Amino acid sequence: LTTFRITVAYDGTAFRGWQVQPGARTIQGALEAAAAALNRRPTRVLGAGRTDAGVHARGQAARVEIDRPIDAGRLPLALNANLPDEVVVWRAEEVPPDFHPVRDAVAKHYRYTFHVARYADPRTRRFVHRVPHAPDLGLMRRAAAHLVGRRDFAGFQKSGSPRDTTVRTLARLDLAAEGDYIHVDLVGDGFLYGMARNLAGTLLRAGQSRLDPDSLPAALASRDRSAAGPLLPARGLTLMAVLYGHDTGGDA
Amino acid sequence: LTTFRITVAYDGTAFRGWQVQPGARTIQGALEAAAAALNRRPTRVLGAGRTDAGVHARGQAARVEIDRPIDAGRLPLALNANLPDEVVVWRAEEVPPDFHPVRDAVAKHYRYTFHVARYADPRTRRFVHRVPHAPDLGLMRRAAAHLVGRRDFAGFQKSGSPRDTTVRTLARLDLAAEGDYIHVDLVGDGFLYGMARNLAGTLLRAGQSRLDPDSLPAALASRDRSAAGPLLPARGLTLMAVLYGHDTGGDA
């Protein structure tokens, strides 16, 4: 029995999110079925982040135990053989049996992508949120500067999410334009439920001059949902990477 | 009754190509249904190029007549309302009634995209041909240099394609690397059936050192299919643009 950390990419469009739910098509469910086919027994696959319905991943991380001896270099192929096209395991690394994908994660990198265009491009529409008019990047960056750091993000989560603490450290909140696309890169030690999409919505609203960037310190202090931007659609969000420390063999 | 040239983007994955066929889902069929809904009568949509099953487009051009008065700026929205998500009309221009999308086209731009990766990326897999090892761009460019110009491409079409002449002018055959992706841009006054995918296959084989670039002048002269590279999968091919002269209001 060997423990692996696998790195997984997926197109989340046609899934009800990461987490196994009875009667629903989920990423975790697809991976557990693929692992069960190798192990010939029900097998748990524990993910680093429970991405929402419609959210994508390039570098989701998960823990899986495989009964029979298999080389880390061959495990992706063996799992992919039993996965749908939208889910691809592209790396596996042997880790200590006590590896825990959530507890051991040092940081996560999410990306929210806007497509500035009057009409959707059918080749990218599944992975972007389209906005007809270009937001002002300068205003978005000014808003971002107020949000980076160790903050109480209580106002930047889906309403009704129960958490012991809502303080998180946002290490990076960067904007990059690439042709008609704007990428918002968010790196932090943890994200509240809906927080990445909420922050993206806050930056967008600032870029549309519908929210004053300099109102954000007060919005953070108020811990009030209504002071932040809207929760943007899941399709624009991708979990790019989960970063681990050297002690667990990661690449952080 | 007004005649329009429309510019259309599509994800061709789930279509049996451009051309209407009984009982098959086709791009032309989808557009004709959308135009018929506006005109309340069967309506013909004539395309500039009959792309194969699985081939995509960013800038396919087509001719359509609309009975009721409608502004060119509003026609895309009116058609998109009756189109599936994978087909998007993103421009419409009024053209003279005698406009013919095939005869009036000056050139076409196709792009074939390779993804150099051990595993597919679910976010791009529909639009690329994956190759596990990086081909040699220098060898590919040497092969390309032999293929540009006015040539008899009889050996570079799907076997059994009947044409009066197989001479075409290839104005550009350029390679561009972008991260793990390699784009092959082909611009020419016309393409034989399968020619773009055949040329891409020839370049790939050269880049894999499985075909000597300097054998290509002899391959062209032989007019023999077996001297060229393989016909690569449709998924990697996108019709980027159809270019028209100023007389038809185009942007060539």
Side-chain angles (χ1 to χ4, degrees):
Chain A
L1 190 141
T2 315
T3 307
F4 292 95
R5 180 174 65 223
I6 55 174
T7 312
V8 189
Y10 44 86
D11 171 353
T13 309
F15 291 86
R16 287 264 283 279
W18 169 265
Q19 193 169 20
V20 164
Q21 293 170 59
R25 191 172 181 247
T26 67
I27 312 288
Q28 186 183 26
L31 287 164
E32 292 192 342
L38 286 188
N39 283 341
R40 294 167 199 267
R41 61 163 175 91
T43 302
R44 197 69 205 279
V45 175
L46 193 63
R50 288 173 300 172
T51 54
D52 255 353
V55 172
H56 317 287
R58 187 175 109 176
Q60 168 75 288
R63 175 195 199 273
V64 62
E65 290 178 347
I66 301 296
D67 296 347
R68 54 156 142 152
I70 186 165
D71 189 68
R74 294 196 46 230
L75 182 56
L77 283 172
L79 290 170
N80 289 336
N82 291 302
L83 284 168
D85 281 349
E86 302 115 298
V87 183
V88 174
V89 176
W90 57 271
R91 187 154 77 174
E93 296 149 277
E94 205 179 317
V95 286
D98 64 348
F99 166 74
H100 192 288
V102 178
R103 195 195 56 216
D104 295 344
V106 173
K108 280 184 198 148
H109 172 194
Y110 279 98
R111 170 173 277 191
Y112 200 91
T113 300
F114 298 104
H115 183 203
V116 181
R118 216 169 141 195
Y119 305 104
D121 183 332
R123 298 170 308 155
T124 59
R125 71 184 167 84
R126 298 157 82 95
F127 308 102
V128 300
H129 173 52
R130 189 174 60 78
V131 292
H133 305 290
D136 183 312
L137 286 178
L139 288 171
M140 293 175 84
R141 289 206 171 96
R142 243 170 75 196
H146 288 298
L147 297 163
V148 168
R150 186 173 163 79
R151 309 260 180 253
D152 184 342
F153 289 101
F156 293 79
Q157 61 183 331
K158 255 190 187 167
S159 40
S161 321
R163 293 275 181 173
D164 45 350
T165 170
T166 49
V167 173
R168 297 288 185 278
T169 299
L170 195 61
R172 275 179 53 199
L173 182 53
D174 295 343
L175 285 128
E178 184 187 354
D180 298 335
Y181 298 86
I182 298 171
H183 303 296
V184 179
D185 286 297
L186 308 101
V187 178
D189 62 354
F191 288 84
L192 303 170
Y193 189 48
M195 176 175 151
R197 294 194 271 149
N198 231 258
L199 289 170
T202 302
L203 297 195
L204 178 63
R205 199 155 276 194
Q208 293 169 333
S209 301
R210 294 163 64 200
L211 180 149
D212 176 5
D214 298 322
S215 73
L216 286 172
L220 283 162
S222 75
R223 309 179 81 248
D224 176 7
R225 267 292 301 119
S226 66
L231 188 79
L232 295 184
R235 63 194 307 135
L237 186 65
T238 301
L239 174 55
M240 299 297 281
V242 184
L243 309 177
Y244 291 95
H246 286 294
D247 52 332
T248 57
D251 52 3
Chain B
L1 190 141
T2 316
T3 307
F4 292 95
R5 178 172 66 222
I6 55 175
T7 312
V8 189
Y10 43 86
D11 170 353
T13 309
F15 291 86
R16 286 265 282 278
W18 168 266
Q19 194 169 21
V20 165
Q21 293 171 57
R25 192 171 181 247
T26 68
I27 312 287
Q28 186 182 26
L31 287 164
E32 292 192 343
L38 286 187
N39 283 339
R40 293 165 199 267
R41 62 164 174 89
T43 302
R44 196 71 203 279
V45 175
L46 194 63
R50 288 173 299 174
T51 53
D52 256 354
V55 172
H56 317 287
R58 187 175 107 176
Q60 168 76 288
R63 174 194 199 275
V64 61
E65 289 177 348
I66 302 297
D67 295 348
R68 53 156 143 154
I70 186 165
D71 188 67
R74 295 197 44 230
L75 183 56
L77 283 173
L79 290 170
N80 290 337
N82 291 300
L83 284 168
D85 280 350
E86 302 115 297
V87 183
V88 174
V89 176
W90 55 271
R91 189 155 76 173
E93 297 149 279
E94 205 180 316
V95 286
D98 64 346
F99 166 73
H100 191 289
V102 179
R103 195 195 56 215
D104 295 344
V106 173
K108 279 183 199 147
H109 172 194
Y110 279 99
R111 170 173 278 191
Y112 200 90
T113 299
F114 298 105
H115 182 202
V116 181
R118 215 168 143 195
Y119 305 104
D121 183 332
R123 298 170 307 155
T124 59
R125 71 184 167 83
R126 298 157 81 95
F127 308 103
V128 301
H129 174 52
R130 189 174 60 79
V131 292
H133 305 290
D136 183 313
L137 285 178
L139 289 171
M140 292 175 86
R141 291 206 169 95
R142 244 171 74 197
H146 289 298
L147 296 164
V148 168
R150 188 172 161 80
R151 309 260 182 255
D152 184 342
F153 288 102
F156 293 79
Q157 62 184 331
K158 254 190 185 168
S159 40
S161 322
R163 292 276 181 169
D164 45 351
T165 169
T166 49
V167 173
R168 296 288 184 279
T169 298
L170 195 62
R172 276 179 54 198
L173 183 53
D174 294 343
L175 285 130
E178 184 187 354
D180 297 336
Y181 298 86
I182 300 170
H183 303 295
V184 180
D185 286 296
L186 309 101
V187 178
D189 62 354
F191 288 83
L192 303 169
Y193 189 48
M195 177 174 151
R197 292 195 273 151
N198 231 258
L199 289 171
T202 301
L203 297 196
L204 178 62
R205 199 155 275 195
Q208 293 169 332
S209 301
R210 294 162 66 200
L211 180 151
D212 177 4
D214 298 321
S215 73
L216 286 173
L220 284 161
S222 75
R223 308 179 82 249
D224 177 7
R225 267 292 301 120
S226 66
L231 188 78
L232 295 184
R235 63 193 307 134
L237 187 63
T238 300
L239 174 54
M240 299 296 282
V242 184
L243 309 176
Y244 292 94
H246 287 293
D247 52 332
T248 58
D251 52 2

